[in-house]
Amino acid sequence: MAPNQFSRRRFIGRTAAGAGLVLGGGRLLTACGDDEAAAPTTTAAAPATTTAAPTTTAAPTTTAAPATTAAPTTTAPLELAEANFQLSWFDSVQFGGSYIAHERGYYERFGLDVSLVPGGPGVSPDAAVAADQALVGISAANFTGQSVADGAPFKIVGVAMQKNPFVIASLSDNPINEPKDLEGTKLGMAFNNQLDLELLSELNDVDISKIEVITSDYDPAPLVNGEVDSLLCWLTDLPVAMTVQGIDNTTMLFADFGYAVHSQTLICTEDSLANRRDQVLGLLKGDILGWQEYRTDTDAAAQLTVDLFPDAGFDLEAQKLQASEQLKIMFSADTDEHGFLWFTDESVQDNIRTLAALGVDVTADLWDRSLLEEIYADGPVLT
């Protein structure tokens, strides 16, 4: 889950656009919401469904019987199946690979006219997928696990973020390098991340009573101004904003200290997996091609994002840095060996244990790797 359901996403957009570190506001990354209206749907342009018949010119009159000429053949274009892909939050380079897939026609290559549907306040990808408003949605293992515990028929069919994006961010002249360093310090965070902090502390033998928790807005100002010693946030937002402003900072990933929760997961219903399998497969293939390109040129993905959403107030340098930082958590030795979106049996078991500690009980049946195994039957790179 995101650090702060109200303010996390409101921070980066305005800061990245140059409003300053003390303001908060705007939007940049994924998972939970604020009060802003959702961005408009990005819809793939469908090709024309008919081809104009060529004009037939009458043959000149002759005394001989006219020859019989076969009517010209008109080849019908490929009919694309419409499919919504529900993103987890407002548009940003976080979804850069999907934007590339959309712009380059990679979804269409597999017979799909895909609409990329941004999230927003009150928008649940899980609910959209359950209601058949989206073929595939981007969620997280804790959200989907809870939905399944409540009776929803979901499957996780791909994992985009190989490491959970939660970090402890600190200033580099007073760094938090490991969980033990939190003892005796002030930590700024949202109240709804208390369970996450407790679990991190338990996993690393940290005396949580020695951490003074300060409830704060999702903004680097308390850290920069010396009100706290660190912040609980995402790798790709507050640290990026500070770096763009020239403030040296250090990040400590929860995932490097035993906290395993799959994030930016691709989910579909069991019914879609059984009865619309080719469409789900095609959407994954198109998305993979886009993310493969993203990895080779993150600056181009950032530029595309800024170009696609000129009214969002994105700062190009911030988007470039975010796109680059995202590589750290979206690709791994496992994706190098097996392919993008891959997840291992070991990572599934790690998630089951972590989710149980967070009060969400799931089994390995929540994850289904069959589509990825089919996609990567010939190797870890899709062509």
Side-chain angles (χ1 to χ4, degrees), residues 54-84:
T55 302
T56 304
T57 303
T61 303
T62 64
T63 53
T68 302
T69 304
T73 302
T74 301
T75 302
L78 176 67
E79 178 119 7
L80 300 178
E82 294 184 356
N84 285 344

Side-chain angles (χ1 to χ4, degrees), residues 138-158:
I138 293 178
S139 187
N142 50 335
F143 294 144
T144 304
Q146 186 60 60
S147 295
V148 169
D150 293 338
F154 292 138
K155 292 291 186 182
I156 294 174
V157 294

Side-chain angles (χ1 to χ4, degrees), residues 94 138-139 156-163 262-266 287 291 326-327 329-332 335 340-343:
Q94 177 168 336
I138 293 178
S139 187
I156 294 174
V157 294
V159 175
M161 287 187 174
Q162 297 291 296
K163 287 186 174 184
H262 284 153
S263 189
Q264 201 151 324
T265 52
L266 273 62
D287 214 48
W291 283 103
Q326 202 162 250
L327 292 177
I329 54 178
M330 298 195 76
F331 296 90
S332 66
T335 59
F340 182 68
L341 296 179
W342 194 264
F343 51 89

Side-chain angles (χ1 to χ4, degrees), residues 222-233:
L223 176 60
V224 174
N225 296 338
E227 299 166 26
V228 298
D229 300 295
S230 63
L231 296 167
L232 194 162
C233 57

Side-chain angles (χ1 to χ4, degrees), residues 1-2 44 80 98 100 108 189 202 247 267 313 358:
M1 63 191 298
L80 300 178
S98 299
I100 293 171
E108 294 179 15
M189 71 176 204
E202 180 181 341
I247 298 170
I267 65 168
L358 293 172

